[in-house]
Amino acid sequence: MNKYPLIPTILGAAFTLACSTQLSLGQTGDQTIAFLSDVHLQDVYADLHSKEFKGVLNPRNGKFATIRTMKSQLNSTRLFNENYFAFIQALEDLKQKGIRWVVLPGDFTDDGQPMNVMALKSILDQYSRDNGMRFFLTTGNHDPVKPFGGIAGKRDFLGVNGAEQAIAGSTDFFQSTTVAKSDQINYWGYPEITQALADFGFFPHPDDLFWAHPFEELDYDHYEFEKTKTNSTLENRMYSIDGSEGLLPDASYVVEPTEGIWLLALDGNVYTSSENGNWNGSSIGFNQASIYKKHQLDWIQKVVAEAKKRHKTLISFSHYPLVEFHDGASEEMKSLFGQEKFQLARVPSSETSQQYAATGLQLHFAGHMHINDTGIYQDQLSNNTLYNIQVPSLAAFPAAYKTIQKTGQNQFEIQTIPLNEVDHMNEFFDLYRMEHRWLLENQRPGIWDSTILASKDYAAYTKNHLKELTKSRFIPSDWPKSLVALLQTMNEEELLNWSKMDLKEGALFLSKKLSPTEYPLSGTPQMIEDFYLLKNGDELGKKLIPSDRITFYQSLFSAQVDTRHTEEKSLSWQLAQFIGIFQKLFYSLPADHFQIDLHQKTIEKKD
């Protein structure tokens, strides 16, 4: 009996997934590779093996849901529940298009717990068996949270009465709260995760034409599956860090699943040792990997050279980006918001990008940031050009995946396919209403805006999620209060007038507009909402901004005053910095449907 009865239900449903553009991929699916990033899969109907809690009864289907609260979703950069159905919908779309090769660039589970890893395995096994799909995974920071696992727990599962239910691997994991014990919520490490998902890239597969890892020679001419399989154990793929005695696994690999295509999976996870002998996880990415995983850089260079020698098309992927992903605005963002805001520590430095570009890598797909973006780094020393393509998350706005198709000797067409509609999206909405009533009746903090439950489709749902997240988390934690208040009080005409003033007049105008002590933070200014549509969605977000506001922004950019000599950190300086950042995001590289020519080193937007 199928442990996940939801899958066949969705298989029989009519497709309602909308694409950004229509392609006849039925004929070209065999040459197309799909990238589905940051799935963050959580088993929403898991068997917790817990005496204290088996889930909350869902009246829609009589099953026990193991879901997180809406309150927790609206304070997280990702959804925990509905993305389960989004993942199935995306796989169904790929099946219809005839796309067989599917890459998951990390965070394929939400924290690598047994129940989530095994749910993913069941789904991938089914699509592999029934539809002939091949899946290739690499680890993200939410897969092996700790390299060798450990006791873990979550406070924010939805309980039977609408309150939060804590679940952990030990009853004393959380203090001052009732804990339901379940080993299904503990962290799995590299050994358990890679073994459970062994058929999906982490180890050699008999269908592969070639497979290798960083700790063995690239011997293409004498490749033997059985020999490679024997040498592929994690014990043979370990490295030391910080000169410590402990060894860590590196799950990187290169694979040729079909003639002429090499997929290079880069494990960018970095762990450092702590004083108590445990390992500290990190979500920084290649800024640290370039320091602590130098063996990987040497290996990449060898893979690139071998692929070139044998006329193979090499596409690398990792959970982490290799190039700056804010359209060149990261330094200005650090100046305005601060070094530790906006996850700016995760932006690859130019030194990091230079090191990886110097290896000869040209095409790299990444996730981690839950954004849609295209970045380019041109190495002046080696004359190499590295394209970094950010794949959006299926668990956040804009929920989408990407495809790449080789269209010529050095030409590649890349498409971004949004998940506008997802079957079963509202399956838990009645349970969220129960949660909302409980919060109101018990006068608890964190009461969320229930209008999100009126979202008509998955596109609106993820957009509303971003809007609530911006209001409840991003603005309070990342933004200067004075700038937010100013944007709340100024209309479009006033912004345009300010941009045309000289420095003294502009500063005087702003001082009269808002007293330094007046910071009325109620609601989210429209310009900040549009800013997040652009920052997260790029071209997909820009399409959602009404044409009259698009025209206004273009006028504002044209008229903006030169404030280089404005007193730094003043209100005029803050506003000018923000508009400058906004402008860079507004005029970005193509990130929806575009073509890259590696020989000509060009990128061209396609209709």
Side-chain angles (χ1 to χ4, degrees):
M1 182 178 177
N2 190 349
K3 182 178 179 291
Y4 301 94
L6 286 171
I7 300 177
T9 301
I10 297 176
L11 293 182
F15 284 100
T16 50
L17 183 141
C19 301
S20 57
T21 56
Q22 295 295 321
L23 265 187
S24 56
L25 285 176
Q27 299 176 351
T28 60
D30 283 346
Q31 292 90 45
T32 304
I33 302 168
F35 292 81
L36 279 61
S37 192
D38 294 86
V39 174
H40 287 283
L41 190 81
Q42 177 179 285
D43 190 349
V44 293
Y45 289 109
D47 183 354
L48 296 172
H49 306 301
S50 173
K51 295 179 181 178
E52 297 85 6
F53 182 68
K54 59 181 179 180
V56 57
L57 182 66
N58 188 349
R60 291 197 177 198
N61 53 25
K63 293 185 289 189
F64 287 92
T66 49
I67 60 174
R68 313 275 279 281
T69 64
M70 177 59 81
K71 176 184 174 182
S72 66
Q73 292 199 126
L74 293 178
N75 281 281
S76 171
T77 55
R78 63 192 186 277
L79 297 169
F80 299 121
N81 306 324
E82 285 68 35
N83 45 305
Y84 178 95
F85 306 113
F87 182 47
I88 302 295
Q89 195 79 57
L91 294 176
E92 281 294 293
D93 192 54
L94 296 179
K95 184 184 79 171
Q96 290 292 311
K97 289 182 169 71
I99 297 176
R100 295 184 58 218
W101 317 109
V102 186
V103 172
L104 274 62
D107 283 3
F108 42 79
T109 65
D110 205 61
D111 290 347
Q113 299 101 329
M115 68 179 199
N116 297 333
V117 174
M118 297 312 292
L120 180 73
K121 173 178 167 55
S122 178
I123 294 170
L124 299 188
D125 280 344
Q126 179 169 335
Y127 280 86
S128 300
R129 179 182 64 250
D130 297 347
N131 307 114
M133 289 184 180
R134 290 291 310 281
F135 296 92
F136 301 94
L137 279 57
T138 190
T139 52
N141 57 303
H142 280 278
D143 299 309
V145 175
K146 295 184 177 181
F148 301 107
I151 303 296
K154 301 286 185 186
R155 292 180 177 270
D156 56 8
F157 278 85
L158 184 63
V160 293
N161 60 355
E164 288 186 342
Q165 172 65 58
I167 307 175
S170 171
T171 54
D172 59 1
F173 188 82
F174 294 120
Q175 302 299 320
S176 67
T177 189
T178 302
V179 176
K181 184 179 179 181
S182 171
D183 60 0
Q184 293 299 297
I185 205 69
N186 288 334
Y187 292 142
W188 264 2
Y190 273 88
E192 297 90 348
I193 292 174
T194 57
Q195 283 300 321
L197 304 173
D199 289 339
F200 310 119
F202 289 123
F203 297 98
H205 191 281
D207 290 346
D208 298 329
L209 302 179
F210 179 67
W211 188 99
H213 63 74
F215 304 95
E216 64 177 348
E217 292 298 319
L218 288 168
D219 191 359
Y220 190 82
D221 291 324
H222 301 95
Y223 177 72
E224 296 179 16
F225 168 71
E226 291 297 338
K227 180 181 177 181
T228 302
K229 183 178 179 181
T230 301
N231 294 335
S232 68
T233 62
L234 282 187
E235 289 79 10
N236 292 326
R237 298 158 70 182
M238 307 289 280
Y239 71 101
S240 62
I241 196 168
D242 286 339
S244 61
E245 295 182 1
L247 295 176
L248 289 168
D250 182 340
S252 300
Y253 61 90
V254 62
V255 62
E256 184 175 5
T258 187
E259 180 65 41
I261 301 293
W262 278 20
L263 296 175
L264 176 59
L266 300 178
D267 177 2
N269 284 350
V270 173
Y271 306 89
T272 54
S273 56
S274 61
E275 294 180 357
N276 60 8
N278 294 321
W279 292 100
N280 295 320
S282 171
S283 61
I284 300 300
F286 286 105
N287 284 337
Q288 287 194 331
S290 61
I291 299 170
Y292 297 113
K293 287 187 168 181
K294 288 189 178 297
H295 67 274
Q296 211 177 73
L297 273 164
D298 296 336
W299 180 64
I300 294 170
Q301 196 165 19
K302 294 177 183 177
V303 171
V304 171
E306 191 73 8
K308 185 176 181 180
K309 171 185 173 183
R310 299 184 181 278
H311 307 289
K312 306 295 183 181
T313 296
L314 179 65
I315 301 172
S316 73
F317 65 95
S318 174
H319 188 54
Y320 304 98
L322 286 174
V323 173
E324 193 266 355
F325 44 77
H326 288 134
D327 303 300
S330 290
E331 290 305 313
E332 289 94 332
M333 291 172 71
K334 290 178 183 179
S335 180
L336 175 59
F337 300 110
Q339 299 275 346
E340 304 302 319
K341 306 297 185 180
F342 278 83
Q343 306 183 72
L344 288 166
R346 296 178 171 183
V347 176
S349 67
S350 58
E351 293 79 11
T352 295
S353 298
Q354 190 279 327
Q355 289 185 74
Y356 287 89
T359 66
L361 281 181
Q362 294 177 291
L363 282 176
H364 182 74
F365 285 78
H368 192 41
M369 301 311 302
H370 300 188
I371 64 172
N372 181 42
D373 182 70
T374 305
I376 300 176
Y377 180 84
Q378 294 179 308
D379 182 16
Q380 301 303 318
L381 296 176
S382 65
N383 199 33
N384 291 333
T385 300
L386 173 58
Y387 294 88
N388 184 88
I389 299 158
Q390 286 297 128
V391 185
S393 170
L394 295 184
F397 174 86
Y401 65 88
K402 288 185 184 280
T403 62
I404 183 170
Q405 181 183 352
K406 190 173 182 179
T407 56
Q409 184 64 32
N410 296 288
Q411 291 84 36
F412 298 85
E413 184 174 352
I414 295 156
Q415 286 199 81
T416 311
I417 293 88
L419 288 173
N420 288 340
E421 297 189 19
V422 169
D423 291 331
H424 297 269
M425 182 204 78
N426 61 354
E427 184 150 321
F428 304 123
F429 280 19
D430 288 340
L431 298 180
Y432 298 144
R433 293 184 181 97
M434 177 181 69
E435 172 198 344
H436 194 266
R437 287 194 300 271
W438 187 90
L439 290 170
L440 285 172
E441 291 169 359
N442 290 272
Q443 299 181 337
R444 296 298 178 92
I447 297 176
W448 38 272
D449 187 349
S450 61
T451 58
I452 192 172
L453 301 181
S455 301
K456 67 181 188 304
D457 54 32
Y458 196 62
Y461 183 61
T462 54
K463 182 186 175 185
N464 288 334
H465 172 261
L466 175 62
K467 182 177 179 179
E468 285 299 305
L469 187 61
T470 300
K471 181 173 66 176
S472 65
R473 175 175 161 179
F474 292 156
I475 288 179
S477 66
D478 291 346
W479 287 73
K481 289 184 179 180
S482 54
L483 178 58
V484 176
L486 186 68
L487 291 170
Q488 284 178 329
T489 59
M490 292 181 74
N491 58 37
E492 292 181 0
E493 182 180 0
E494 289 172 325
L495 276 169
L496 279 174
N497 288 337
W498 167 81
S499 67
K500 297 172 183 177
M501 296 177 185
D502 63 31
L503 299 181
K504 291 183 179 179
E505 288 179 338
L508 180 62
F509 173 77
L510 293 186
S511 67
K512 291 180 178 178
K513 186 66 184 174
L514 180 67
S515 167
T517 59
E518 295 177 9
Y519 297 147
L521 301 181
S522 58
T524 305
Q526 187 62 64
M527 195 169 180
I528 292 182
E529 284 190 23
D530 292 344
F531 167 81
Y532 279 101
L533 289 178
L534 290 173
K535 187 185 80 67
N536 289 24
D538 204 286
E539 288 183 296
L540 298 184
K542 194 173 184 178
K543 291 177 181 178
L544 300 178
I545 301 175
S547 58
D548 60 332
R549 291 211 300 275
I550 292 289
T551 301
F552 160 68
Y553 293 137
Q554 291 170 333
S555 300
L556 183 62
F557 302 147
S558 299
Q560 187 181 359
V561 67
D562 180 2
T563 58
R564 284 176 295 176
H565 305 293
T566 305
E567 180 184 353
E568 189 169 337
K569 306 303 180 184
S570 68
L571 206 49
S572 277
W573 177 87
Q574 289 180 7
L575 184 56
Q577 283 285 102
F578 172 59
I579 294 173
I581 294 166
F582 198 107
Q583 182 175 1
K584 286 190 173 183
L585 298 176
F586 189 92
Y587 294 115
S588 62
L589 290 169
D592 180 7
H593 184 193
F594 55 98
Q595 180 165 300
I596 291 174
D597 188 313
L598 297 180
H599 180 70
Q600 298 294 331
K601 299 180 180 180
T602 58
I603 182 169
E604 176 186 355
K605 182 176 180 179
K606 295 183 72 70
D607 295 331

